[in-house]
Amino acid sequence: MAFTCRRLLLGLLLLLPRLGCSAAEAESPFSPRASLLRQWKRLFASEQMPSILLDKASPLNATQVAAFSRYIADGTLPSHLRVFCSAANLFCDDKNPANVTSDVSGDAEFESYSNKDFRRYQKGAVFGGDNFKNYSVGENVARDTFLRYGQDGTSGFEQFTNYALTTNVGGSGFTSYDDNSNGGGGVFHSYGMQSNVQGHDFAAYGADSSAVSDSFTSYSEESNVVRNEFKGYGKDGNGMSSTFTSYSNNSNVGTSTFKGYSAGGNGGTGMFQSYGESENIARSDFLSYGDDGNGDFNQFSSYGEQASQSDNSFRSYAKGNNAPFEDFSNYGNSTTSSKNEFVEYNKDAGGVDPFLRFTTYVGNQTSFKHSQASAPANVEPGKFFRRANLAEGKRIPMPDIRDKMPPRSFLPRALAERLPFGSARLPELVRLLGAADLQGPMAKTVAECERPAVKDETKRCPTSLEAMAEFAASVLGKSAAVSTTASTAGSPPWGGETAAVSCHQSLFPYLVYYCHAVPRVAVYDAVNHGVAICHLDTTQWSAGHAAFVALGPAPGKIEVCHWIFENDLIWVARDG
């Protein structure tokens, strides 16, 4: 039978760009690209969309958008990730079990069990899944051991619900659990609640693993004495994510020790939300947490809220970590006393200007000893410079501003707006896109997007080209030009003070930009297509910013210039 594009089955239509249909057939008036160009004409009637933007547009056609929209709506997108990632030009983890075909092992249901030892259970299993529900409930003494459980496995998933509920003395040992595994994770829900004494040890849990995600929800709540220890948890792991929500809340005495947690890990994420709330005495020790890691993201939100007495120690926390991102919000708001100690916090951290944020942070007694809260002393030559250097005959050392992020495209707005975006729904987005390895960078992106704007800043995080163009037009008007650095060699520039919107790439499976407009900037375009921006008002900048380490003297005293990274974007208002 003759082959025509119109008669393709839906499954084949997903691969339309590969099948040799003519450009006229594939590029219909209903395509996302055609819709984007029409919107551009409405926003910037006198301007052609430049190639630097059009090249980032989604390659999907209308039929593909309709199909993938349906997969998102019915939750079946993970089953179509390989096709979705390829057709939409996304950055996906080819090693993620959600993106490959594998044999599936049997699952097991453990209900109403108690006091058992699991040794080397599910070792090397592929897609194993076990459910421990109402396990060791109501026991006088409940003690269970999980030794090398799920070791060397792929995409194993375990769920512990109502585990050791209403026991007198409950304790479990997870030693080398899921270590050296790939993908998967564990959900601990209503674990050890309403008990007298709870003590659980996680030793070398998930060590050397990749893309493992664990969630502790309503863990050890409403108990008398809670003592949990996480030792070597996620050590040397890659993209490991842990979420602690409503952990040990409303308990009498809660003590948690995190020792060597995520040490040496890459891109780890730790989210502590509503942790230790309304406890009588809350004590947490973070020892060598995230030491020598790379790009870790940790967020403490409503941590120790309304506890009677909160006492926390961060010793050698994130010491030697490269480009750490630490966010403390509504932290330590206890009713009587809050003591927090940071010793060698972020000491010897790498990267420029590690992100450390304390918002609504309450600590009656807080001390920082040998800690780093500013940028390192060594700043790459040419990374920051003065406006006077932008003159004919001047030479500026060119730092490494090459784009080192993976090639990706925007999603069409119709798809981007269907995907969950925000810190509250990040785990859902990670699951849909099979992006556990990217959860750390994705969490950083979302946190920066949700950060309140500083004084006189206007900010937005567009997840589609349509949204970016609308934001630029709302700030700059109907006549705007956009450019980026196309060369990394230096040469004399031209330009001057103007209204501008700068957009910075974020590491996400699809293109997401952080765009913001700040007052009083000057933009210069070098003859070799290098673009520089000068911030003429630096009064709102941190005193520890790397720019002042490199140039001196202090915020508000000088202007600061820097190059726009390759494939970051700068929008400026055109005259007239």
Side-chain angles (χ1 to χ4, degrees), residues 3 35 65 106 122 149 159 263 284 291 340 368 405 432 486 502 529 531 534 544 553-554:
F3 171 83
S35 175
V65 170
Q122 291 280 28
Y149 184 107
Q159 186 168 358
S284 298
D291 272 18
N340 301 295
F368 291 84
M405 290 197 182
L432 279 172
S502 55
H529 307 298
V531 180
C534 294

Side-chain angles (χ1 to χ4, degrees), residues 167-168 192-198 220-227 248 250-255 279-281:
T167 58
N168 179 28
M193 286 183 64
Q194 300 172 353
S195 298
N196 181 25
V197 179
Q198 287 283 316
S220 293
E221 279 196 316
E222 301 176 13
S223 294
N224 182 26
V225 178
V226 177
R227 184 209 59 77
S248 191
N250 299 302
S251 293
N252 181 26
V253 179
T255 302
E279 280 187 321
N280 182 26
I281 299 175

Side-chain angles (χ1 to χ4, degrees), residues 69-105:
S69 294
R70 188 173 71 250
Y71 297 151
I72 293 171
D74 63 20
T76 61
L77 183 63
S79 301
H80 304 275
L81 275 181
R82 182 178 286 275
V83 173
F84 183 47
C85 291
S86 175
N89 189 33
L90 308 186
F91 177 56
C92 296
D93 177 18
D94 291 335
K95 296 180 181 179
N96 191 297
N99 300 330
V100 299
T101 304
S102 303
D103 295 331
V104 179
S105 67

Side-chain angles (χ1 to χ4, degrees), residues 310-324:
S310 179
D311 189 0
N312 303 296
S313 175
F314 295 81
R315 293 179 177 271
S316 300
Y317 183 101
K319 183 180 178 182
N321 200 299
N322 182 46

Side-chain angles (χ1 to χ4, degrees), residues 242-245 261 268-275 286 289 296-303 314 317 324-331 345 355 357 359 422-427 440 442-452:
S242 304
T243 303
F244 297 84
T245 306
Y261 183 104
T269 302
M271 308 283 284
F272 296 82
Q273 300 165 340
S274 301
Y275 184 105
F286 293 83
Y289 184 108
D296 283 348
F297 174 90
N298 295 295
Q299 184 177 53
F300 295 83
S301 177
S302 299
Y303 186 102
F314 295 81
Y317 183 101
F325 189 111
E326 315 291 344
D327 187 12
F328 293 81
S329 59
N330 295 326
Y331 183 99
Y345 181 94
F355 191 99
R357 180 171 61 190
T359 307
S423 56
R425 301 187 66 188
L426 182 61
M442 290 169 71
K444 291 182 185 180
T445 296
V446 170
E448 183 62 16
C449 291
E450 294 178 345
R451 171 187 63 78

